[in-house]
Amino acid sequence: MQKRLAVGGVATLGVAAAIVLGTAASASAHVEATSTSTAAGSYTTATFSVPHGCNGSPTTKLQFHVPSSVIEVTPTVNPNWDITKTTEPYTSPSASADDESQADAGERVTSVTYTAKTPLPADERDTFSLSFSLPDGKAGDVVELPVTQTCEQGSTEWDQAQKAGQAEPEHPAPSITLTAASTGTADDDSHATTAAAQSSDDAATTSTQPDLVGRFLGLGGLVLGAAGLVVAVAATRRRSTK
């Protein structure tokens, strides 16, 4: 009886372990993004991990869709992939449509595409990094960056939104959750640097100005020393003439 219980316990543990490991493997199988900074309005580099192909088929292309809240994106070179960017005309929301000149209009990056020079095997992974400025917002806001994964056979759209309190979707979009914006600004840092430099210059100027009191005291000492020498010489001569 005890032997049967022991065997049953081992089997139960094995099933539980398989479920846990299977869940972990499923979670890690998503295309995910990690970023160097999550503060609203800060500059960050997001690294996307692509862990597998499409149902066993090698990956040939990855298209990263840029949300409208992000304007410019700088992709990091990956020697195994060719990079192309898609753009569209862009006008700052703060600019007035009436006085906006053609020269003021710019372009916004809408997507960055990595095309494989040699297809990425389905059982191998690779990473891709994009640098950009995070949008302004409040802590807890989510910036989604959907990815289209194209393979030799089939494709996968990693574009499903993760909703609070609900189970994770099958193909969630990689995302960055914003944290509070940094209180310091580049202008503040610039002013602080300028003030420090000015303080250093003032200190250097003060240290190089002549110390008039010290000079007068030094000259007085020389005069007194000379007078003492004259008196000593005179006294010596008097003794020698007696």
Side-chain angles (χ1 to χ4, degrees):
M1 182 66 176
Q2 291 180 348
K3 185 175 181 181
R4 289 183 179 179
L5 289 175
V7 172
V10 171
T12 302
L13 289 174
V15 172
I19 293 174
V20 171
L21 291 175
T23 302
S26 175
S28 64
H30 300 327
V31 174
E32 299 177 331
T34 58
S35 55
T36 56
S37 174
T38 57
S42 67
Y43 200 77
T44 189
T45 298
T47 299
F48 299 81
S49 174
V50 179
H52 58 73
C54 309
N55 296 321
S57 180
T59 301
T60 58
K61 184 169 64 176
L62 292 156
Q63 184 177 19
F64 299 88
H65 303 279
V66 181
S68 59
S69 56
V70 174
I71 308 305
E72 182 56 55
V73 177
T74 302
T76 301
V77 172
N78 186 317
N80 299 318
W81 304 74
D82 292 322
I83 302 173
T84 56
K85 291 194 293 186
T86 303
T87 61
E88 67 179 8
Y90 170 79
T91 300
S92 171
S94 61
S96 171
D98 295 334
D99 58 12
E100 180 80 9
S101 67
Q102 187 64 31
D104 294 328
E107 291 186 331
R108 187 186 78 82
V109 176
T110 57
S111 68
V112 176
T113 301
Y114 283 80
T115 302
K117 296 177 181 178
T118 300
L120 177 67
D123 59 349
E124 295 181 8
R125 64 186 297 276
D126 207 341
T127 57
F128 308 84
S129 297
L130 304 176
S131 294
F132 53 90
S133 180
L134 289 169
D136 294 328
K138 62 181 183 296
D141 287 350
V142 177
V143 179
E144 293 183 343
L145 299 114
V147 179
T148 299
Q149 180 181 13
T150 303
C151 301
E152 289 184 336
Q153 295 180 2
S155 63
T156 303
E157 295 288 346
W158 301 94
D159 60 355
Q160 296 175 322
Q162 173 66 64
K163 297 181 179 180
Q166 296 186 11
E168 185 178 58
E170 184 179 2
H171 300 117
S175 62
I176 299 173
T177 302
L178 297 182
T179 54
S182 174
T183 55
T185 64
D187 289 340
D188 292 338
D189 294 340
S190 176
H191 293 326
T193 302
T194 302
Q198 184 63 42
S199 176
S200 176
D201 290 343
D202 291 343
T205 302
T206 301
S207 65
T208 57
Q209 289 178 348
D211 186 352
L212 296 180
V213 176
R215 288 190 176 185
F216 281 125
L217 291 176
L219 290 173
L222 290 174
V223 172
L224 290 176
L229 180 60
V230 171
V231 172
V233 170
T236 303
R237 288 182 177 178
R238 288 195 193 98
R239 286 196 296 270
S240 64
T241 55
K242 289 182 180 181

